[in-house]
Amino acid sequence: MILLADLIDRYGSDLEQRHGHHLLPGHYRALQAMRRCRNQHSRVMVLECNGCHHQAILPHSCGHRSCPHCQHHESQQWLERQKAKLLAVDYFMVTFTVPAQLRGLFWANQRIAYDLLLKTAWLTIDSFARRDPQLRGRSGAHAVLHTHERNLDYHPHVHLIVPAGAINMRSRQWQHRKKQEKSLFWAANLSRVFRAKWFEAMRLAGLRCEESLPDAWVVHCKKVGRGEQALVYLGRYLYRGVLPEKNIIADRDGKVSFCYQDNKGKRQVPTLPGGEFLWLLLKHVLPRRFRRVRDFGLLHANAKRLIQLLQLTLHMRVPRPEPPPPLPPVLCDRCGQVMTILARMIEPSHHRLC
């Protein structure tokens, strides 16, 4: 397997020459973290076996959310938390996409624009749920920001997983779409309202776009069954970067090849100079501490009692709150017993590492 850390070592200077004027502090932090993830550059931990007292040294992971090695445990924790809030109803995935003419504005104002995109998408869904003659209530959504297409081009959009119903906050009655209905709301209507709300949000934030924007914006609304499969799909892209290392298939003559499946399911293999490949990945590093995953409405973390009420109303078994699962233990390679960590974050001594 071709490691991303090795590519950063090999093509970091090429990246600087090609795009040094575009690199932000967050990009440098991501490069440094992924370069030092679980290898000879990493800080190490010292462990001792509880059985045979054998000592071992292991390199630390970097913990960066753009690293393909890290955050698997955090991703599983997020997935378990969202599964605990699932309702026994159908779910829809609604995708809001901004036109290509706005990508320059997004890139220049990432923290503000990404935040507005998530909030505006939810406000659109919320307004439809409150005014819909069949629902007339408070809905909810799990929202996830994506910044890439399948080919890793810069393409900001947001996915929302929305239950096919809403609760009237006065009467506490749950109203839902009939199972035979294939759409939660009409995509064309969502598109018009989303576009209008975006212009208003952009005006209030003081953002301006000099390019002419199209009248029709792309919004998709698709039924996804009971919602668990959609959560699993989104969970793959939350914390572990935009490209798994297994998809990096060649590194020859200063060029890197990677593979992906296009929208028709066909395998595509682009080849880029090493510096351009690294820049393609860095475009999707989010601003520091920016929350790309958010829960809204009745699925918000502050609405736990409301979720439990709905689960009882829908004759579901209310899951008991459980502490997050611990990290898997490290086992001794000699006797198989659990090892205890004696020290962390020690500067590496290369001659002691395996």
Side-chain angles (χ1 to χ4, degrees), residues 294-311:
R294 305 187 188 184
D295 299 325
F296 294 104
L298 60 86
L299 298 179
H300 193 274
N302 293 336
K304 292 180 180 179
R305 292 186 178 181
L306 183 57
I307 283 291
Q308 292 176 355
L309 173 64
L310 286 174
Q311 289 171 336

Side-chain angles (χ1 to χ4, degrees), residues 5 8-9 29-44 59-63 67 69 345-348:
I8 293 173
D9 271 336
R29 285 193 295 267
L31 286 172
Q32 182 66 9
M34 292 185 286
R35 179 178 175 270
R36 298 185 59 180
C37 186
R38 303 186 194 186
N39 58 27
Q40 70 273 17
H41 302 295
S42 309
R43 291 179 178 179
V44 299
H60 276 287
S61 60
C62 68
C67 178
H69 292 151
M345 304 300 291
I346 300 174
E347 289 297 331

Side-chain angles (χ1 to χ4, degrees), residues 78-95:
W78 176 85
L79 187 58
E80 293 303 319
R81 288 196 302 269
Q82 308 317 317
K83 285 182 178 179
K85 294 190 282 187
L86 283 174
L87 302 173
V89 299
D90 288 329
Y91 281 76
F92 288 82
M93 181 183 288
V94 187
T95 303

Side-chain angles (χ1 to χ4, degrees), residues 220-231:
H220 291 292
C221 186
K222 177 183 178 182
K223 183 180 282 191
V224 289
R226 290 299 190 183
E228 185 169 340
Q229 289 183 344
L231 286 173

Side-chain angles (χ1 to χ4, degrees), residues 4 7 243 248 256 258 272-282:
L4 183 56
L7 297 180
L243 184 71
I248 306 174
V256 178
F258 66 97
L272 298 172
E276 291 294 339
F277 171 76
L278 293 179
W279 176 239
L280 191 64
L281 299 183
L282 290 178

Side-chain angles (χ1 to χ4, degrees), residues 217-246:
W217 291 20
V218 178
V219 175
H220 291 292
C221 186
K222 177 183 178 182
K223 183 180 282 191
V224 289
R226 290 299 190 183
E228 185 169 340
Q229 289 183 344
L231 286 173
V232 171
Y233 166 77
L234 293 180
R236 297 174 188 167
Y237 303 97
L238 295 186
Y239 302 101
R240 308 190 70 187
V242 295
L243 184 71
E245 283 182 322
K246 65 181 181 179

Side-chain angles (χ1 to χ4, degrees), residues 19 37 54 86 98 116 136 155 176 210 240 273 305 350:
H19 298 286
C37 186
H54 166 66
L86 283 174
V98 296
L116 289 181
R136 290 188 181 280
H155 180 60
H176 59 87
E210 302 298 334
R240 308 190 70 187
R305 292 186 178 181
H350 299 302

